[in-house]
Amino acid sequence: DTAVSQTPKYLVTQMGNDKSIKCEQNLGHDTMYWYKQDSKKFLKIMFSYNNKELIINETVPNRFSPKSPDKAHLNLHINSLELGDSAVYFCASSKIFAWAHKYEQYFGPGTRLTVT
Amino acid sequence: EDKVVQSPLSLVVHEGDTVTLNCSYEVTNFRSLLWYKQEKKAPTFLFMLTSSGIEKKSGRLSSILDKKELFSILNITATQTGDSAIYLCAVEASSGGGADGLTFGKGTHLIIQP
């Protein structure tokens, strides 16, 4: 009954390859995100999707593309992987309770990507 | 650009001590401030604060927000070794067009020594 799940947990691949990371949430949240955590543990947002619409793209290279088949899924595709892409990638989902001025965001377990 | 600054960046204390972690922010259209605890894996949600002066409490952890001075503190009393983690502060700002992601601080690495 995991709320936000990601696969795979670990991904080791060579430079130049194309890879995907999958994310699914069963919380009924309406927005999903991808974050990158670098070697210094700094978390930075990459994308968010709300109702299949991209809202944020924080100067991420266009080798990265999020794909959302439905509200419960947001997959991350990465083309032509580079050494600098090595990091932990976290998926998250959120819901705004506008009437209560409340917001919650929960994270997936992370995918450790190593590019060799 | 939205900014979140946490201090200290690292802190080593003994079990039983009380610690206070700080988070200051500069954002446009502030909506909420969130605290997360990160051990080896994903950050886990601790608190969300939207109103000034109202303390949120969960066991030995408590947090309060000061919207006038633009900061929040996270207190942990009677610390235990299991409290050792990175504590992340994040701020949500509204762009007016819908949901935004969170802006994170660099975190406070807390180490509790037995």
Side-chain angles (χ1 to χ4, degrees), chain B residues 26-38:
Chain B
E26 292 176 30
V27 298
T28 308
N29 300 322
F30 172 89
R31 177 180 276 166
S32 63
L33 184 144
L34 297 92
W35 284 98
Y36 287 86
K37 178 182 181 183
Q38 186 174 24

Side-chain angles (χ1 to χ4, degrees), chain A residues 23-57:
Chain A
C23 177
E24 177 181 2
Q25 56 95 5
N26 62 6
L27 295 163
H29 284 172
D30 48 27
T31 306
M32 295 182 72
Y33 310 83
W34 278 103
Y35 288 88
K36 180 180 180 181
Q37 188 171 46
D38 61 25
S39 58
K40 294 183 180 176
K41 301 289 189 185
F42 185 54
L43 265 165
K44 193 172 170 73
I45 188 161
M46 299 175 71
F47 303 105
S48 75
Y49 251 76
N50 183 315
N51 292 325
K52 297 191 180 183
E53 199 174 336
L54 179 68
I55 296 183
I56 304 172
N57 182 335

Side-chain angles (χ1 to χ4, degrees), chain A residues 57-76:
Chain A
N57 182 335
E58 293 282 318
T59 65
V60 172
N62 58 13
R63 298 181 295 103
F64 290 80
S65 56
K67 288 192 171 40
S68 179
D70 54 58
K71 277 174 71 170
H73 296 84
L74 183 66
N75 303 324
L76 182 65

Side-chain angles (χ1 to χ4, degrees), chain A residues 9-10 30-31 33 35 37 40-45 48 50 55-56 90 94 96 101-110 112, chain B residues 1 30-32 34 36 38-45 48 50 67 86 88 92 95 97-106:
Chain A
K9 287 178 82 170
Y10 301 95
D30 48 27
T31 306
Y33 310 83
Y35 288 88
Q37 188 171 46
K40 294 183 180 176
K41 301 289 189 185
F42 185 54
L43 265 165
K44 193 172 170 73
I45 188 161
S48 75
N50 183 315
I55 296 183
I56 304 172
F90 287 101
S94 74
I96 298 170
H101 194 56
K102 184 184 166 193
Y103 171 92
E104 61 183 26
Q105 181 167 130
Y106 294 100
F107 285 80
R112 182 173 292 278
Chain B
E1 188 183 326
F30 172 89
R31 177 180 276 166
S32 63
L34 297 92
Y36 287 86
Q38 186 174 24
E39 296 171 270
K40 289 183 181 173
K41 296 188 177 178
T44 52
F45 177 80
M48 187 188 74
T50 56
K67 287 169 79 172
I86 296 172
L88 295 164
E92 188 220 355
S95 68
D100 287 2
L102 301 176
T103 300
F104 281 86
K106 292 190 187 298

